Amino acid sequence: MSEFKVRASSWGSLFDCSMRWEGEHMLGIRKPAGLRAQLGTAIHAGTAAFDSGRLAGAPITLDEAAGVFVDTLRNPEHDVDYSQDDLTVNEAEKIGLVLGVKYCTEIAPKMDYLSVEMPLEPLVIDCGNGIFVKLTGTMDRARVVRSAGGKVINDLKTGSRVIAKGAVVIQGRSAQLGTYQIMSEQTDGEETVGAQITGLQTTSTAAVGVSRVFDAKRVMLGTEDKPGLIQFAAVMFKTGLFPPNPQSQLCSPKYCARWATCMYHE
C-alpha cells in the first residue's frame, strides 16, 4: 500500500500542468517564488489578521493590519526571487496598503465570517491498486461565510488578472475550491451551498470585488454521466503518469523548476 500526502491548497494546480505539480509536490523540485507571489502572501496575512480579530471579538485597527502586511512582505519566510517581476518592494508595498484598506473597509464589513483558514480533517482518496492520496492542511487564504443560502467557501485571490471587465474571474478555480467544499463538509458536518472568490487586483488600479457563488464541488465529484476531477486524479496516481501541459500560462523557466529537463514545451 502506498499513501501520498498532499496539501489541499495545491490540488488545483494538479490540473494545470500535472508534470510541474508532480515535480514540485512529489519530487521536491521547486523554484523560489517571485515578488508578486510574496505580495499576495503578505496581503493575505494582513487581511486574515483583520478578519480573525473581528471573528474573535478582539478587532484590530487598519494600521495594525497594515503593519502585519508590511512585516510579512519585507520579511519573507521563504526565498524570494526578486528578479522575476517588474516590481520593486516599495511599489508592492504601496499596492498592498491600498488593497488592504479597500478590503477592510469595503468587503470585510459585508461578510459574515464563520472561520478564517479553517483547519481541515484529512480527506483520503482511494485510487485503486493499494494507492491512496491523503489531502491535508487548512483552507489557505479561504474563509467560511454565512450567506442567505447557507455556508459558502470564500477564497481570497490576488494578482493582476483576478478581475476582468469589472468582474472577479472564477474560471479555473473549481478544483481547489471544490476540494475545500468537500473537506469543510467532512470537518464540521455542514453542507456547503457553493464557493466564491474575493479578488484583489495587484495593479495600480487596485480593484477589488467578490464573485457570484458557484458550485465548485460538482466539478470535483462529477455527475451521473460525467466523471469528476477526483476520478481523473486517481488515474494519474494509479498509473504514475502526470501529463504535461505546454500551453499552461505557467509553462516557462520563470515558474517551472522542471523546464530545463522537460521536452514537451518545445
Side-chain angles (χ1 to χ4, degrees):
M1 185 179 75
S2 299
E3 181 177 274
F4 300 94
K5 185 179 290 187
V6 177
R7 285 193 62 82
S9 58
S10 78
W11 198 242
S13 62
L14 170 64
F15 302 98
D16 178 39
C17 176
S18 301
M19 181 169 286
R20 185 181 67 249
W21 183 92
E22 179 199 26
E24 182 174 348
H25 298 284
M26 296 184 66
L27 305 179
I29 306 171
R30 299 176 181 269
K31 286 181 67 70
L35 179 55
R36 288 195 179 275
Q38 179 61 18
L39 172 58
T41 298
I43 290 172
H44 170 68
T47 56
F50 185 82
D51 291 335
S52 297
R54 293 178 65 222
L55 193 60
I60 65 174
T61 65
L62 290 176
D63 284 345
E64 288 171 324
V68 174
F69 159 74
V70 172
D71 182 62
T72 305
L73 178 69
R74 293 187 174 272
N75 299 284
E77 294 183 355
H78 305 286
D79 291 339
V80 175
D81 181 358
Y82 292 96
S83 66
Q84 277 192 24
D85 303 297
D86 56 346
L87 189 71
T88 67
V89 175
N90 287 339
E91 290 170 340
E93 183 176 295
K94 290 178 181 178
I95 292 172
L97 289 172
V98 172
L99 285 172
V101 170
K102 285 189 175 183
Y103 173 85
C104 294
T105 59
E106 298 177 19
I107 294 178
K110 300 177 183 178
M111 297 293 189
D112 182 12
Y113 290 132
L114 300 177
S115 72
V116 178
E117 289 201 322
M118 177 183 183
L120 297 169
E121 291 291 329
L123 174 66
V124 178
I125 300 171
D126 185 349
C127 301
N129 289 359
I131 296 174
F132 297 85
V133 175
K134 178 184 283 188
L135 299 180
T136 64
T138 61
M139 287 198 294
D140 293 345
R141 304 193 181 191
R143 284 91 160 131
V144 179
V145 182
R146 176 71 65 195
S147 72
K151 189 177 77 170
V152 174
I153 306 302
N154 179 293
D155 194 20
L156 190 152
K157 295 293 186 185
T158 61
S160 60
R161 300 177 182 177
V162 294
I163 296 178
K165 298 181 180 179
V168 175
V169 178
I170 63 174
Q171 182 179 354
R173 305 299 191 188
S174 287
Q176 181 179 357
L177 283 174
T179 301
Y180 284 165
Q181 280 188 252
I182 296 167
M183 296 181 74
S184 172
E185 292 174 357
Q186 175 180 264
T187 299
D188 64 16
E190 183 180 354
E191 288 287 318
T192 59
V193 297
Q196 65 181 173
I197 302 291
T198 292
L200 306 182
Q201 193 164 30
T202 53
T203 63
S204 58
T205 60
V208 301
V210 180
S211 78
R212 62 177 175 84
V213 174
F214 59 98
D215 185 5
K217 184 173 67 171
R218 179 177 65 98
V219 174
M220 294 301 294
L221 299 178
T223 62
E224 291 184 1
D225 58 345
K226 294 181 180 179
L229 292 180
I230 287 178
Q231 290 172 264
F232 289 114
V235 173
M236 292 185 211
F237 282 93
K238 184 177 178 179
T239 62
L241 295 175
F242 295 87
N245 176 17
Q247 290 190 318
S248 165
Q249 291 186 357
L250 302 181
C251 185
S252 77
K254 177 178 178 179
Y255 299 112
C256 181
R258 301 187 85 171
W259 172 272
T261 59
C262 176
M263 70 178 185
Y264 300 103
H265 55 73
E266 296 178 350

